[in-house]
Amino acid sequence: MAGPTTRMQDAVRLLMLINEAADSVSAEHITDDPRLHTAVGVVRTQVRLQKLDFWVRNPDYLANELLNDYVNGDQDPALLQMAGEILDSEEPELRRYPMLRYLFGAYEDLEDALAVLSQADLVVRRKKGRPGHVVQTNYFLLQAGRDVVSRIRADYEDLSWYSFRSALVVQLASGQGATELKDRQYIQEEYLQTANGVRIPSIAERARKRLADIRAGLEDESA
């Protein structure tokens, strides 16, 4: 397992993820807020951002979900290949940054990292509701943030990994809301059984065994 993340590392990862996950921005969002005049996308709800971040931070769980889609769908070989690229490497060990389990699933305090992005005018966070009763938090990506992502991709190969993995996570989550993503992650027994306040454990070995079994079954079919 990789060591603890730094605030700057979290900021870069979240910027990459928000860039990939952002939906288009409608005019109603930006008319009355001067900070949003250069907004190019928005990720709606903190829950959704946390659930997507869980799969970026836990490649073993991401690979296992790719296997789920492979088995439960039309057995698209691309899904098996992507899962294999993760599980055949040391990515689940070297790129894993476990999250805490709380009442609503995987959670990590993102305030420090988001503060970095906000102070640099890359991302703007806006809350909906009233004081003491926030009903939704939205994360707006500004054009400057998208420009920084482009520069990171071009100049920093190691950091650009976050962009590629974020794109894969967003593809996996396509068409699913925050609650659906939360429910999907709870299906994993290790995730479900983790006590509140404890970091969710790895499932790398179980996922690798599952991948090996699927490959063995395909070899038997072709024999």
Side-chain angles (χ1 to χ4, degrees):
M1 181 182 68
T5 57
T6 66
R7 183 171 69 164
M8 190 57 65
Q9 184 181 32
D10 286 338
V12 170
R13 186 188 72 253
L14 288 175
L15 179 62
M16 295 291 201
L17 177 56
I18 291 170
N19 179 68
E20 295 296 337
D23 296 323
S24 59
V25 181
S26 60
E28 65 181 280
H29 285 126
I30 62 177
T31 302
D32 300 323
D33 192 333
R35 285 203 72 192
L36 299 184
H37 285 174
T38 63
V40 293
V42 58
V43 176
R44 295 176 177 85
T45 82
Q46 182 180 148
V47 173
R48 181 172 181 81
L49 184 61
Q50 292 273 3
K51 300 315 163 194
L52 295 175
D53 194 31
F54 175 78
W55 279 331
V56 176
R57 293 172 57 139
N58 293 272
D60 48 347
Y61 283 85
L62 172 59
N64 194 61
E65 291 301 332
L66 293 169
L67 294 179
N68 282 341
D69 279 3
Y70 174 81
V71 171
N72 298 325
D74 58 1
Q75 298 194 344
D76 181 353
L79 294 170
L80 196 62
Q81 179 180 348
M82 288 185 288
E85 288 176 0
I86 295 172
L87 296 172
D88 291 337
S89 72
E90 294 183 318
E91 184 177 320
E93 288 74 33
L94 298 180
R95 296 284 192 174
R96 179 174 176 265
Y97 298 97
M99 295 175 71
L100 296 170
R101 160 76 196 284
Y102 278 118
L103 294 176
F104 301 105
Y107 173 84
E108 198 75 20
D109 189 349
L110 306 178
E111 293 302 310
D112 284 351
L114 289 167
V116 171
L117 300 177
S118 177
Q119 290 166 9
D121 291 324
L122 305 180
V123 170
V124 172
R125 181 184 59 182
R126 286 292 179 262
K127 296 182 179 181
K128 299 174 69 174
R130 63 179 187 274
H133 185 67
V134 176
V135 296
Q136 183 170 314
T137 303
N138 296 328
Y139 305 88
F140 291 88
L141 177 70
L142 305 185
Q143 182 61 55
R146 182 150 287 173
D147 293 342
V148 168
V149 168
S150 296
R151 290 200 297 272
I152 290 174
R153 284 173 175 167
D155 298 337
Y156 301 95
E157 182 178 353
D158 189 53
L159 292 178
S160 67
W161 175 90
Y162 288 120
S163 182
F164 299 131
R165 278 294 169 264
S166 293
L168 180 57
V169 165
V170 171
Q171 179 183 341
L172 178 69
S174 177
Q176 300 169 69
T179 300
E180 291 174 288
L181 296 179
K182 180 181 69 175
D183 292 344
R184 183 170 181 172
Q185 290 174 0
Y186 266 120
I187 292 174
Q188 302 305 315
E189 192 69 19
E190 294 88 345
Y191 185 112
L192 176 63
Q193 296 301 325
T194 300
N196 287 340
V198 175
R199 296 202 177 275
I200 298 168
S202 172
I203 61 168
E205 290 311 308
R206 177 164 71 82
R208 285 178 172 132
K209 173 64 166 56
R210 187 182 184 196
L211 174 63
D213 289 344
I214 292 172
R215 285 171 168 169
L218 291 174
E219 290 177 359
D220 289 342
E221 290 176 6
S222 62

